[in-house]
């Protein structure tokens, strides 16, 4: 089961830092990140590449997005 991480309402760089903490603590190969700004979506997408993960899907969700990330193959 994928863990959902809600970083809505946080100012940068908090969404990136919270996502990075969840990646490090996760036993799963996939996470879903709920963001509310384009900036957070873009920054998280850049950060995950630096730690060997990748963006699998970006779904519009209300006024934000759900970003599904996973370990790169």
């Amino acid at each position: 089961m994928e863990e959902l991480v809600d970083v809505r309402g946080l100012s940068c760089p908090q969404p990136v830092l919270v996502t990075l903490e969840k990646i490090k603590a996760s036993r799963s190969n996939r996470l879903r990140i709920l963001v509310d700004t384009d900036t957070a979506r873009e920054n998280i997408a850049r950060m995950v590449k630096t730690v060997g993960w990748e963006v699998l899907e970006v779904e519009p969700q209300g006024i934000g997005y759900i970003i599904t990330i996973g370990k790169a193959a």
Side-chain angles (χ1 to χ4, degrees):
M1 183 171 181
E2 298 168 349
E3 184 178 352
L4 180 63
V5 180
D6 186 354
V7 295
R8 292 176 297 175
L10 299 178
S11 299
C12 283
Q14 288 300 316
V16 171
L17 296 174
V18 170
T19 301
L20 182 57
E21 287 177 17
K22 292 295 184 178
I23 287 172
K24 289 179 179 177
S26 178
R27 293 183 180 194
S28 173
N29 292 337
R30 295 174 70 130
L31 294 173
R32 299 177 80 207
I33 315 298
L34 186 54
V35 301
D36 58 355
T37 67
D38 290 334
T39 302
R41 177 180 51 85
E42 293 166 3
N43 289 342
I44 288 170
R46 279 194 296 272
M47 180 276 295
V48 298
K49 292 178 185 175
T50 68
V51 294
W53 285 52
E54 62 187 347
V55 173
L56 303 174
E57 184 175 24
V58 177
E59 305 169 54
Q61 176 72 26
I63 61 168
Y65 304 93
I66 295 177
I67 307 168
T68 303
I69 61 174
K71 287 186 180 177

